[in-house]
Amino acid sequence: MITFEQARQVVATSSSVIRFFGPGYTVADYGWENTDVFVIAVAGANGPIFDAPDLLVDKRTGELQEIFGMLGRDPAPDLVPIGDVPD
């Protein structure tokens, strides 16, 4: 099992995330989790980006999955906050 910090590092070093968000993006120190995945929050250099993919990191393998088109729906079931999630 990987840790939340390791999942954040997976997102921070992903070439596809870097291409999508561009230079200056930040990986938040909060997110959401369930028993299988971490959902990692990312902001662009100018703040949140709408229509961005949800970034899920598998807790067992560390594999990153980018899910597009959720439109406000949870990308995974039974998510709970991890870290200091803003309101």
Side-chain angles (χ1 to χ4, degrees), residues 2 4 6-21 25 27 32 36-42 52-68 75:
I2 68 168
F4 181 64
Q6 290 169 321
R8 289 180 68 235
Q9 189 63 29
V10 167
V11 170
T13 59
S14 165
S15 60
S16 62
V17 172
I18 293 168
R19 275 193 309 276
F20 184 89
F21 287 93
Y25 78 96
V27 177
W32 298 266
D36 300 315
V37 297
F38 292 110
V39 179
I40 307 298
V42 173
D54 289 304
L55 304 172
L56 283 66
V57 179
D58 187 285
K59 287 184 172 183
R60 288 173 195 79
T61 66
E63 179 182 350
L64 172 64
Q65 181 180 15
E66 300 173 43
I67 300 177
F68 288 86

Side-chain angles (χ1 to χ4, degrees), residues 51 61 73:
D51 295 330
T61 66
R73 297 180 310 239

Side-chain angles (χ1 to χ4, degrees), residues 33-35 74 76-80:
E33 68 176 324
N34 65 18
T35 56
D74 286 342
D78 303 320
L79 293 172
V80 295

